[in-house]
Coordinates of all heavy atoms in Angstrom, one line a residue:
L21 N 55.1 118.6 111.5 CA 54.4 117.3 111.4 C 53.0 117.6 112.0 O 52.9 118.1 113.1 CB 55.1 116.3 112.3 CG 54.4 115.0 112.5 CD1 54.4 114.1 111.2 CD2 55.0 114.2 113.7
G22 N 52.0 117.2 111.2 CA 50.6 117.3 111.7 C 50.1 115.9 112.1 O 50.2 115.0 111.3
T23 N 49.6 115.8 113.3 CA 49.0 114.6 113.8 C 47.6 114.9 114.4 O 47.3 116.1 114.6 CB 49.9 114.0 114.9 OG1 50.0 114.9 116.1 CG2 51.3 113.6 114.5
I24 N 46.9 113.9 114.7 CA 45.6 114.0 115.3 C 45.6 113.3 116.7 O 46.0 112.1 116.7 CB 44.5 113.4 114.4 CG1 44.4 114.1 113.1 CG2 43.1 113.4 115.2 CD1 43.9 115.6 113.2
I34 N 59.8 119.1 113.4 CA 60.7 118.0 113.4 C 61.8 118.2 112.4 O 61.7 119.1 111.5 CB 60.0 116.7 113.2 CG1 59.3 116.7 111.8 CG2 59.0 116.4 114.3 CD1 58.7 115.4 111.4
R42 N 59.9 105.2 99.5 CA 59.1 106.5 99.8 C 59.1 106.8 101.2 O 58.2 107.6 101.7 CB 57.7 106.3 99.3 CG 57.5 106.2 97.8 CD 56.0 106.0 97.5 NE 55.7 106.3 96.2 CZ 54.7 107.0 95.7 NH1 53.8 107.5 96.6 NH2 54.5 107.2 94.4
T43 N 60.1 106.4 102.0 CA 60.1 106.6 103.4 C 61.0 107.7 103.9 O 62.1 107.8 103.4 CB 60.5 105.3 104.1 OG1 59.6 104.2 103.7 CG2 60.5 105.4 105.6
V44 N 60.5 108.5 104.7 CA 61.3 109.6 105.4 C 61.2 109.2 106.9 O 60.2 108.6 107.4 CB 60.8 111.0 105.1 CG1 60.9 111.3 103.7 CG2 59.3 111.2 105.6
C45 N 62.2 109.7 107.7 CA 62.2 109.4 109.1 C 62.6 110.6 110.0 O 63.2 111.5 109.5 CB 63.2 108.2 109.4 SG 62.8 106.7 108.6
F46 N 62.2 110.5 111.2 CA 62.6 111.5 112.2 C 62.7 110.8 113.6 O 62.3 109.6 113.7 CB 61.6 112.7 112.3 CG 60.2 112.3 112.7 CD1 59.8 112.4 114.0 CD2 59.3 111.9 111.8 CE1 58.5 112.1 114.4 CE2 58.0 111.6 112.1 CZ 57.6 111.7 113.4
T48 N 61.9 111.0 117.8 CA 61.2 111.6 118.9 C 61.4 110.7 120.1 O 62.2 109.8 120.1 CB 59.7 111.8 118.5 OG1 59.1 112.6 119.5 CG2 59.0 110.5 118.4
K54 N 53.4 113.8 120.2 CA 53.4 113.4 118.8 C 53.5 111.9 118.6 O 52.8 111.3 117.8 CB 54.5 114.1 118.0 CG 55.9 113.6 118.2 CD 56.9 114.4 117.3 CE 57.3 115.7 117.7 NZ 57.9 115.8 119.1
Y55 N 54.3 111.2 119.5 CA 54.4 109.8 119.5 C 53.0 109.1 119.8 O 52.6 108.2 119.1 CB 55.4 109.3 120.5 CG 55.6 107.8 120.5 CD1 56.4 107.1 119.6 CD2 54.9 107.0 121.5 CE1 56.5 105.7 119.6 CE2 55.0 105.7 121.5 CZ 55.8 105.0 120.6 OH 55.9 103.7 120.6
H56 N 52.4 109.6 120.9 CA 51.1 109.0 121.2 C 50.1 109.3 120.1 O 49.3 108.4 119.8 CB 50.6 109.6 122.6 CG 51.4 109.1 123.7 ND1 51.4 107.8 124.1 CD2 52.2 109.8 124.5 CE1 52.2 107.7 125.2 NE2 52.7 108.8 125.4
N57 N 50.1 110.5 119.5 CA 49.1 110.8 118.5 C 49.4 109.9 117.2 O 48.4 109.3 116.7 CB 49.3 112.2 118.0 CG 48.7 113.2 119.0 OD1 48.1 112.8 120.0 ND2 48.9 114.5 118.8
L58 N 50.6 109.7 116.8 CA 50.8 109.0 115.6 C 50.7 107.5 115.7 O 50.4 106.8 114.8 CB 52.1 109.4 114.9 CG 53.5 109.1 115.6 CD1 54.0 107.7 115.4 CD2 54.5 110.1 115.1
T59 N 50.9 107.0 116.9 CA 50.7 105.6 117.1 C 49.2 105.2 117.2 O 48.8 104.2 116.8 CB 51.4 105.0 118.4 OG1 51.1 105.8 119.5 CG2 52.9 105.0 118.1
A60 N 48.4 106.2 117.7 CA 46.9 106.0 117.7 C 46.3 106.3 116.4 O 45.3 105.6 116.0 CB 46.3 106.9 118.8
H61 N 46.8 107.3 115.7 CA 46.3 107.7 114.4 C 47.5 107.9 113.4 O 48.0 109.0 113.3 CB 45.5 109.0 114.5 CG 44.4 109.0 115.5 ND1 43.2 108.4 115.3 CD2 44.4 109.4 116.8 CE1 42.4 108.5 116.3 NE2 43.1 109.1 117.3
P62 N 47.9 106.9 112.7 CA 49.1 106.9 111.9 C 49.1 107.8 110.7 O 50.2 108.1 110.1 CB 49.4 105.5 111.6 CG 48.1 104.8 111.7 CD 47.3 105.5 112.7
Q63 N 48.0 108.3 110.2 CA 47.9 109.2 109.1 C 48.4 110.5 109.5 O 47.9 111.1 110.4 CB 46.5 109.3 108.5 CG 46.1 108.1 107.7 CD 47.0 107.7 106.6 OE1 47.5 106.6 106.5 NE2 47.2 108.6 105.7
V64 N 49.5 111.0 108.9 CA 50.1 112.3 109.2 C 50.4 113.1 108.0 O 50.3 112.6 106.9 CB 51.5 112.0 110.0 CG1 51.2 111.3 111.3 CG2 52.5 111.4 109.1
C65 N 50.7 114.4 108.2 CA 51.1 115.3 107.1 C 52.3 116.0 107.5 O 52.6 116.2 108.7 CB 50.0 116.2 106.7 SG 49.5 117.4 108.0
L66 N 53.1 116.4 106.5 CA 54.4 117.1 106.7 C 54.3 118.3 105.8 O 53.9 118.3 104.7 CB 55.6 116.2 106.3 CG 55.8 115.0 107.1 CD1 56.7 114.0 106.4 CD2 56.4 115.3 108.5
S80 N 52.0 113.7 102.7 CA 51.2 112.9 103.7 C 51.5 111.5 103.6 O 52.1 111.0 102.6 CB 49.7 113.2 103.5 OG 49.3 112.8 102.2
G81 N 51.2 110.7 104.6 CA 51.6 109.3 104.6 C 51.2 108.7 105.9 O 50.5 109.2 106.8
K82 N 51.6 107.4 106.0 CA 51.3 106.6 107.2 C 52.6 106.4 108.0 O 53.6 106.0 107.6 CB 50.8 105.3 106.8 CG 50.3 104.4 107.9 CD 49.6 103.2 107.5 CE 49.1 102.4 108.7 NZ 48.4 101.2 108.3
A83 N 52.5 106.8 109.3 CA 53.7 106.7 110.2 C 53.7 105.4 110.9 O 52.7 104.7 111.0 CB 53.5 107.8 111.3
F84 N 55.0 105.0 111.2 CA 55.2 103.7 111.9 C 56.5 103.8 112.7 O 57.3 104.7 112.5 CB 55.4 102.5 110.9 CG 56.5 102.7 110.0 CD1 57.8 102.1 110.3 CD2 56.5 103.4 108.8 CE1 58.9 102.2 109.4 CE2 57.5 103.6 107.9 CZ 58.8 103.0 108.3
V85 N 56.5 103.0 113.8 CA 57.7 103.0 114.6 C 58.7 102.1 113.9 O 58.4 100.9 113.6 CB 57.4 102.4 116.0 CG1 58.7 102.3 116.8 CG2 56.4 103.3 116.7
A86 N 59.9 102.6 113.6 CA 60.9 101.9 112.9 C 61.7 101.0 113.8 O 62.5 101.4 114.6 CB 61.9 102.8 112.2
V123 N 62.8 106.0 116.5 CA 62.8 106.4 115.1 C 61.4 106.2 114.5 O 60.9 105.1 114.7 CB 63.9 105.7 114.3 CG1 63.8 106.0 112.8 CG2 65.3 106.0 114.8
I124 N 60.9 107.2 114.0 CA 59.6 107.1 113.3 C 59.8 107.2 111.8 O 60.5 108.1 111.3 CB 58.6 108.2 113.8 CG1 58.5 108.2 115.3 CG2 57.3 108.2 113.0 CD1 57.8 107.0 115.8
G125 N 59.2 106.3 111.1 CA 59.2 106.4 109.6 C 57.8 106.8 109.1 O 56.8 106.6 109.8
V126 N 57.8 107.5 108.0 CA 56.6 107.9 107.3 C 56.7 107.4 105.9 O 57.6 107.8 105.2 CB 56.3 109.4 107.4 CG1 55.0 109.7 106.7 CG2 56.3 109.9 108.8
D127 N 55.8 106.5 105.5 CA 55.7 106.0 104.2 C 54.8 107.0 103.4 O 53.6 107.1 103.7 CB 55.1 104.6 104.1 CG 56.1 103.5 104.5 OD1 57.3 103.7 104.3 OD2 55.6 102.5 105.0
L128 N 55.4 107.8 102.6 CA 54.7 108.9 101.9 C 53.8 108.3 100.8 O 54.1 107.4 100.0 CB 55.7 109.8 101.2 CG 56.6 110.6 102.1 CD1 57.5 111.5 101.2 CD2 55.9 111.4 103.2
T129 N 52.5 108.7 100.9 CA 51.5 108.3 99.9 C 51.3 109.4 98.9 O 50.8 109.2 97.8 CB 50.2 107.9 100.6 OG1 49.8 109.0 101.4 CG2 50.4 106.7 101.4

Side-chain angles (χ1 to χ4, degrees):
L21 170 73
T23 61
I24 298 291
I34 59 171
R42 289 180 166 224
T43 303
V44 297
C45 296
F46 63 94
T48 191
K54 75 178 82 56
Y55 178 83
H56 291 295
N57 287 353
L58 63 83
T59 54
H61 306 280
Q63 286 303 122
V64 299
C65 65
L66 297 162
S80 59
K82 187 173 182 179
F84 63 93
V85 177
V123 173
I124 303 297
V126 178
D127 286 328
L128 299 181
T129 54

